[in-house]
Amino acid sequence: MKINANYLNLKESYLFSDIAKKTNAYKAANPDADIIRLGIGDVTLPLCKAVVDAFHAASDEMGVKETFKGYGPEQGYGFLKDAIRDYYKEEDGVTLESDEIFISDGAKSDLGNILDIFSKENTVLVPDPVYPVYVDTNIMDGRKIVYMSGNAENNFLPLPDENTVGDIIYICSPNNPTGAAYNHEQLKLWVDYALVHGALILFDAAYESFVTSKELVRSIYEIEGARKCAIEFCSFSKIAGFTGTRCGWTVVPAELEYEGVKLGKLWLRRQTTKFNGVSYPVQRAAAAVFTPEGRKQIAENLDYYRGNAKIITAALDELGIWYTGGVNSPYVWLKCPNGMGSWEFFDLLLTKANVVGTPGAGFGAMGEGFFRLTAFGDRERTREAAERIKKLLK
Ligand code: MLT
């Protein structure tokens, strides 16, 4: 028996495991430390009422013979796919067919699983800094990875470069970790580039619900030609606080065809073989996000997080610290003060302010010297963290 030796090429542990380990070790040594965690992008507000009511009602249905459900439809229930289709139409003016939408337990799983349907010979193009899942899942498969630099000069929004060609291109906008977001013209350059090179874009739209500026893109299908070169991933985690409930979706347009094979067909084959769908109550809960009450309630939650981002960015403004994000994004990406390294700043914040953030270096070489704070925290704790940071760095 041989193992998949590609795993030996991975870093010892996942970035957020490292941070949790370091934080827990500090807490164990300093039990009185009142630690505020603004590291991992995990939500803190509970599910909204419309969602919880739907969750309860659907769980009750599962306990009654007449309404009990066994295995669900392969791609997800029609009521949820239709609700997502309508959301695209209303929010982005994008027309999708329900059968182009595949319900899953989250964007992270699909972003990793989708690789099953692509050859390991493909070259992968990823931005640096990057959400580690794109890199690690390709290392596991042994694919060649090429990095495109994000930096303060390009506002952490790398654009196509004819010298750097990839078969599979990852784009996350609004971006994790930098909070930067592409506008229509910039994303059109990526779509045209993919079409010219016969490449495929994997577009991670997990943070689309934070976009408020009209010139920025929420769905890649707002861009002409994208239906021929892009798969889009999205999740209820950040829209509606489903990080612990688990539900997401992937859009594979009917036009997507490579080497004469429809990608939707391969993805359905993969999913029906290795996945049995998301539970009925979770899908009902997710569909409730798109009801009028659900929309209103999640809008309030999103505003709450936007308010947190404002508190963080106001503190940085006061300190004169450079950052991107915080607007159209729940992440604030800042330059570590006084030329400090990312992990050095992490240690300083942890030990002197008892605030946990994410070191930019954990997202790639170009992230060194930068740091990420999340706006998904509790309001009062975020305020307290901002005060502590100001006090420490003034
Ligand atoms: C993060 O902190 O980057 C997020 O939690 C990533 C994720 O949603 O998996």
Side-chain angles (χ1 to χ4, degrees):
M1 207 301 285
K2 289 193 168 138
I3 58 159
N4 177 352
N6 292 322
Y7 274 65
L8 305 179
N9 298 325
L10 291 165
K11 287 208 187 92
E12 183 72 15
S13 59
Y14 188 57
L15 171 62
F16 294 104
S17 313
D18 277 349
I19 292 171
K21 249 182 252 153
K22 267 188 167 250
T23 308
N24 294 341
Y26 180 78
K27 179 74 183 163
N30 302 273
D32 294 335
D34 174 25
I35 293 177
I36 304 178
R37 293 172 195 255
L38 300 182
I40 191 161
D42 197 2
V43 291
T44 48
L45 290 176
L47 298 175
C48 67
K49 184 168 183 320
V51 166
V52 174
D53 289 348
F55 217 156
H56 278 173
S59 307
D60 287 344
E61 279 184 60
M62 294 299 270
V64 175
K65 188 161 186 7
E66 288 70 31
T67 50
F68 168 77
K69 312 261 181 304
Y71 293 123
E74 290 172 339
Q75 279 184 230
Y77 282 96
F79 60 79
L80 180 55
K81 292 190 297 173
D82 292 352
I84 293 170
R85 177 200 61 197
D86 296 347
Y87 175 69
Y88 272 84
K89 189 78 199 163
E90 282 161 35
E91 289 294 323
D92 313 326
V94 163
T95 304
L96 297 177
E97 296 300 328
S98 289
D99 65 6
E100 295 174 322
I101 297 166
F102 295 73
I103 307 301
S104 74
D105 65 346
K108 179 174 170 175
S109 330
D110 277 7
L111 279 157
N113 294 334
I114 196 83
L115 295 175
D116 277 6
I117 68 171
F118 309 132
S119 161
K120 294 183 172 52
E121 285 162 26
N122 288 308
T123 296
V124 172
L125 198 54
V126 297
D128 178 2
V130 61
Y131 178 39
V133 171
Y134 311 157
V135 170
D136 288 355
T137 51
N138 279 291
I139 291 178
M140 288 170 182
D141 276 359
R143 276 190 201 84
K144 181 177 174 214
I145 301 172
V146 176
Y147 293 88
M148 40 188 177
S149 293
N151 48 55
E153 286 67 49
N154 62 18
N155 263 320
F156 289 95
L157 293 170
L159 291 172
D161 164 2
E162 286 308 322
N163 301 318
T164 322
V165 179
D167 304 301
I168 299 172
I169 304 162
Y170 284 84
I171 298 177
C172 176
S173 181
N175 187 265
N176 181 12
T178 68
Y182 284 103
N183 65 30
H184 288 81
E185 290 69 38
Q186 291 167 326
L187 212 49
K188 177 85 175 96
L189 295 175
W190 275 115
V191 167
D192 290 347
Y193 167 91
L195 289 171
V196 165
H197 291 284
L200 173 71
I201 294 173
L202 301 182
F203 189 76
D204 184 349
Y207 301 93
E208 58 82 35
S209 57
F210 282 87
V211 172
T212 48
S213 310
K214 282 275 163 271
E215 70 273 15
L216 300 179
V217 176
R218 293 172 65 122
S219 164
I220 195 161
Y221 304 119
E222 291 169 45
I223 310 296
E224 200 193 327
R227 288 183 56 88
K228 292 203 183 91
C229 65
I231 294 180
E232 180 160 300
F233 303 83
C234 204
S235 154
F236 289 92
S237 288
K238 315 295 155 102
I239 298 175
F242 272 55
T243 51
T245 306
R246 310 306 310 149
C247 197
W249 72 87
T250 291
V251 179
V252 188
E255 287 91 325
L256 272 188
E257 189 173 315
Y258 291 75
E259 298 186 287
V261 181
K262 296 272 187 203
L263 293 192
K265 201 171 159 211
L266 292 191
W267 181 234
L268 181 65
R269 189 71 181 83
R270 190 271 170 210
Q271 289 297 76
T272 47
T273 305
K274 295 197 185 181
F275 183 59
N276 256 339
V278 177
S279 78
Y280 173 71
V282 168
Q283 293 197 53
R284 277 285 179 205
V289 167
F290 300 117
T291 60
E293 315 79 67
R295 293 288 286 269
K296 194 167 151 282
Q297 291 161 8
I298 60 159
E300 283 163 14
N301 290 1
L302 292 168
D303 277 345
Y304 176 97
Y305 294 133
R306 288 189 186 106
N308 288 350
K310 266 199 196 126
I311 290 168
I312 298 170
T313 53
L316 299 177
D317 285 337
E318 230 177 288
L319 293 164
I321 291 178
W322 185 96
Y323 62 87
T324 57
V327 186
N328 299 300
S329 163
Y331 295 126
V332 181
W333 178 255
L334 58 116
K335 185 143 182 53
C336 300
N338 309 320
M340 257 183 266
S342 301
W343 282 103
E344 194 187 349
F345 187 54
F346 173 90
D347 288 337
L348 180 80
L349 273 194
L350 175 62
T351 57
K352 297 285 186 282
N354 294 164
V355 172
V356 177
T358 309
F363 297 103
M366 296 303 293
E368 181 53 277
F370 291 87
F371 200 75
R372 194 192 78 174
L373 292 171
T374 158
F376 285 122
D378 169 79
R379 173 61 54 85
E380 278 321 305
R381 301 294 277 162
T382 302
R383 231 191 276 282
E384 167 72 17
E387 287 309 315
R388 289 188 198 170
I389 293 172
K390 277 196 281 183
K391 199 162 152 216
L392 176 69
L393 300 178
K394 250 186 186 153

